[in-house]
Amino acid sequence: MRHTSTNTILEQEQPLSQSLLWQLQRQFFAQQGINAWNHNTVPHYVTSNPFIANAYAKVVFGFLRDWQSAIDPTQPLYILELGAGSGRFAYHFLKQFWDFFPHSTLRHIPIKYILSDFSESNLQYWRTHPFLQPYFQQGILDIAHFDAQHDQSLTLHFANQTHTSLKNPLIVLANYFFDCLPQDVFTLKQQQLHASLVTLTLRENSEFRIQNSELHFDDPDLIHHLAVSYTDRPITPHYYADVDYNHLLQHYQQHLTDTTFLLPVVGLDCLRNLRRLSGDRLLFLSGDKGYSQLEDLRNRSKPHMVFHGSCFSLMVNYHAMGQYTSHQGGQALHTPHHHASLNISAFLFGQPPTQYTETRHAYQDAIVNTSPDDFFNLKKALDPHCDRLSLEHAIAYIRLSGYDAKIFLACFPSFMAHAKSVFNAQRQELIQLIHNVWETYYPIGEPEDLAFQLGKILVSLQEYYTAAKYFQQSLKFQGLQPETLDYLSQCYHHLGETEAALYCIHQTQLLQAIT
């Protein structure tokens, strides 16, 4: 760190992958834990909903069908989720996958899902989450401290096992993962390749406090006080010690002109380590904002960092990962059309007996034809109108979504408006839909009180016994709330449980007296 007359230079002309920015990034996630997601600081809905989980489950099942004759049924086959965050995607996946897998012809394969992250606070959150406990107890879910930037082995917490090589093929899922990992930047000018090196300075007139002439990198707010600039330095295509990465640079030098592109060097390191772990029998399925076609990389300017609270994300060069995969003898699957919000690519290694016929078919069906990105795009268009949908349309929308709690809450005004006038068949459909939404729900401490809203609809349907169950769930997750206790007392009154109703009224009065 050095000072000039106007600002403080933290680092000068460093490769982006080696920048101090990533230290701040890791510090943010280590400190925030679950608060990064339940405060909606880090976007996650598009990659953590039942619809995308169902799509992934289909691709995973296709991969299992391709490998089924070569799988050792005496050893687990692992599904490893990298950077699993809140655990919400995993929960949706488990719900979707285990809805059909135990009834399939592949049910003899011992599947185990692994939640992984480098943040110990996230691992502790999963260990104690009540909705995950049944899966832990059944032995189909485990957790692992796994640092994608460094680790080459996999240590399972509950199984108390460390693996440096696996007996069966490996499935890896990684959503909104690569966009937060170190990357390098390169610029092409008139066929000359340049490394775009980063200089970080403390912004002029920044109010960030420097104590004893030292910056404190454990302060996540520091990142908002930094200015990022790039300096282009000519290089040869033999820039890296790694021949595979140099091959990618040569490819872009031959096929692109006057543009800037990112190279996901740590992502590629991670992919290589997982290939070793799996014995080169690997499905790597990943969804993120990024580019998968060469055309997407043309005429690009310096990368734009998108900030989420005190962390940031970059676009992901899935095209480079695909080129690496193909060059290593694997197969890369990309959607042929451009995405609106989410690019989902699959990278396949190994030679199953079917040459990945089933995996490719599942990818075409679940990722291309019924795209999670298309569904999310339609959801955004429907969001302003959800409260005015007819009951039939609202029910159809919830079913299509996979009983998504977020979409249900958006449609809640419509359900309340129609609940008292439904005919009997619709009444039963609505009650079943309410149960399915709750069964699919995974709470992470967000302010929305789903159980309370479900209970209100059931009260309108005069289903007081069931409504009381949901109000009890609301009290369990949200604590004592006067409005919830008031509704619960009404339920007990209609059920003839006078003592319980009076108790709720008394608790409500005590709370109101305190406030």
Side-chain angles (χ1 to χ4, degrees):
M1 181 176 68
R2 66 184 180 84
H3 299 269
T4 68
S5 59
T6 58
N7 53 30
T8 300
I9 298 176
L10 276 68
E11 63 181 11
Q12 192 164 15
E13 296 189 12
Q14 290 293 319
L16 178 59
S17 64
Q18 299 172 31
S19 171
L20 294 171
L21 287 166
W22 305 107
Q23 180 180 336
L24 299 176
Q25 181 93 307
R26 287 175 67 89
Q27 194 68 39
F28 167 82
F29 283 107
Q31 288 183 1
Q32 287 293 301
I34 191 61
N35 290 332
W37 290 275
N38 64 20
H39 286 64
N40 206 30
T41 303
V42 178
H44 63 280
Y45 171 80
V46 65
T47 58
S48 300
N49 60 72
F51 193 93
I52 190 173
N54 184 53
Y56 277 38
K58 290 178 179 178
V59 177
V60 167
F61 192 70
F63 181 82
L64 295 177
R65 285 169 62 89
D66 282 323
W67 279 101
Q68 60 179 313
S69 63
I71 290 173
D72 181 352
T74 68
Q75 299 293 324
L77 186 146
Y78 295 115
I79 302 173
L80 172 65
E81 184 184 351
L82 301 179
S86 69
R88 179 170 277 171
F89 172 84
Y91 184 75
H92 288 320
F93 182 94
L94 291 167
K95 282 285 185 180
Q96 299 287 341
F97 189 76
W98 259 270
D99 183 52
F100 66 83
F101 180 73
H103 312 290
S104 74
T105 57
L106 305 185
R107 60 185 176 272
H108 63 283
I109 299 173
I111 303 291
K112 182 169 286 192
Y113 194 103
I114 311 298
L115 285 160
S116 77
D117 207 300
F118 79 92
S119 170
E120 184 59 37
S121 62
N122 287 341
L123 272 66
Q124 180 57 29
Y125 181 77
W126 304 330
R127 284 189 196 103
T128 57
H129 198 295
F131 284 37
L132 297 178
Q133 298 312 305
Y135 296 107
F136 289 136
Q137 292 161 10
Q138 294 172 55
I140 58 177
L141 179 64
D142 209 325
I143 61 178
H145 184 284
F146 188 83
D147 187 338
Q149 296 190 43
H150 308 291
D151 290 346
Q152 298 184 29
S153 62
L154 182 66
T155 299
L156 306 184
H157 172 76
F158 290 109
N160 193 27
Q161 297 172 341
T162 297
H163 297 283
T164 56
S165 62
L166 299 174
K167 300 296 184 182
N168 281 322
L170 175 65
I171 297 165
V172 179
L173 311 178
N175 291 324
Y176 273 175
F177 177 72
F178 290 122
D179 64 349
C180 293
L181 292 185
Q183 305 189 53
D184 278 332
V185 186
F186 297 93
T187 298
L188 274 164
K189 300 176 183 177
Q190 299 177 343
Q191 299 301 312
Q192 172 63 54
L193 196 60
H194 298 74
S196 297
L197 305 176
V198 170
T199 296
L200 290 184
T201 57
L202 196 63
R203 294 183 187 277
E204 187 176 356
N205 301 322
S206 170
E207 296 178 359
F208 190 84
R209 295 180 63 188
I210 303 177
Q211 298 178 357
N212 301 322
S213 300
E214 292 294 331
L215 283 172
H216 289 268
F217 291 102
D218 59 350
D219 187 339
D221 191 47
L222 172 60
I223 202 165
H224 296 294
H225 298 266
L226 300 180
V228 180
S229 60
Y230 292 94
T231 303
D232 295 335
R233 297 298 184 197
I235 61 169
T236 70
H238 303 288
Y239 178 76
Y240 290 108
D242 190 302
V243 64
D244 292 322
Y245 300 171
N246 289 332
H247 178 81
L248 289 169
L249 293 182
Q250 293 166 17
H251 175 82
Y252 288 133
Q253 188 173 29
Q254 293 168 5
H255 293 88
L256 295 174
T257 57
D258 299 326
T259 191
T260 295
F261 61 90
L262 286 156
L263 199 68
V265 286
V266 170
L268 290 166
D269 286 345
C270 176
L271 185 56
R272 176 179 287 164
N273 290 337
L274 291 167
R275 287 178 59 202
R276 292 195 189 106
L277 180 65
S278 68
D280 225 23
R281 300 158 301 162
L282 176 68
L283 162 64
F284 198 113
L285 184 60
S286 179
D288 216 317
K289 56 180 187 177
Y291 308 119
S292 58
Q293 308 296 330
L294 184 65
E295 292 301 313
D296 297 331
L297 301 176
R298 300 189 188 281
N299 303 314
R300 292 287 170 184
S301 55
K302 294 296 188 289
H304 174 62
M305 295 179 181
V306 178
F307 285 89
H308 318 283
S310 294
C311 71
F312 66 94
S313 60
L314 294 166
M315 299 295 280
V316 179
N317 186 351
Y318 279 119
H319 178 267
M321 298 187 74
Q323 287 295 118
Y324 166 82
T325 299
S326 298
H327 191 251
Q328 297 297 313
Q331 299 181 42
L333 306 181
H334 303 298
T335 57
H337 55 264
H338 287 282
H339 61 279
S341 302
L342 187 69
N343 185 103
I344 301 174
S345 292
F347 308 101
L348 303 166
F349 294 90
Q351 300 295 327
T354 60
Q355 297 299 308
Y356 286 122
T357 300
E358 298 292 340
T359 308
R360 286 187 281 107
H361 173 76
Y363 181 88
Q364 180 68 33
D365 177 54
I367 305 300
V368 178
N369 296 340
T370 51
S371 163
D373 178 61
D374 287 344
F375 179 81
F376 179 67
N377 205 26
L378 287 172
K379 175 195 170 294
K380 289 193 295 183
L382 280 171
D383 277 347
H385 312 289
C386 284
D387 58 346
R388 299 188 298 277
L389 293 176
S390 69
L391 185 61
E392 294 86 352
H393 289 158
I395 289 174
Y397 186 23
I398 301 299
R399 280 201 297 252
L400 179 65
S401 74
Y403 303 102
D404 189 311
K406 189 176 185 71
I407 292 176
F408 181 90
L409 289 170
C411 295
F412 173 76
S414 176
F415 287 122
M416 284 297 292
H418 298 292
K420 291 183 179 179
S421 59
V422 297
F423 54 83
N424 192 54
Q426 283 184 321
R427 174 192 180 88
Q428 296 307 313
E429 282 188 10
L430 187 50
I431 292 170
Q432 186 59 54
L433 181 138
I434 285 170
H435 291 321
N436 290 344
V437 168
W438 181 253
E439 280 296 307
T440 307
Y441 179 56
Y442 179 84
I444 61 172
E446 294 160 308
E448 296 85 2
D449 190 350
L450 175 67
F452 177 71
Q453 306 291 48
L454 297 175
K456 284 179 68 174
I457 295 174
L458 288 164
V459 166
S460 295
L461 295 171
Q462 298 182 353
E463 291 286 330
Y464 299 112
Y465 178 81
T466 309
K469 297 292 185 185
Y470 284 105
F471 290 132
Q472 290 164 0
Q473 289 290 334
S474 173
L475 294 174
K476 177 181 176 181
F477 287 102
Q478 303 291 331
L480 295 178
Q481 302 293 331
E483 191 176 7
T484 309
L485 287 166
D486 181 54
Y487 269 100
L488 189 55
S489 70
Q490 293 178 44
C491 292
Y492 286 140
H493 170 73
H494 286 287
L495 294 169
E497 299 184 25
T498 306
E499 237 180 86
L502 290 174
Y503 176 80
C504 290
I505 292 171
H506 177 64
Q507 290 295 314
T508 303
Q509 291 170 342
L510 288 176
L511 287 172
Q512 290 172 338
I514 293 171
T515 57

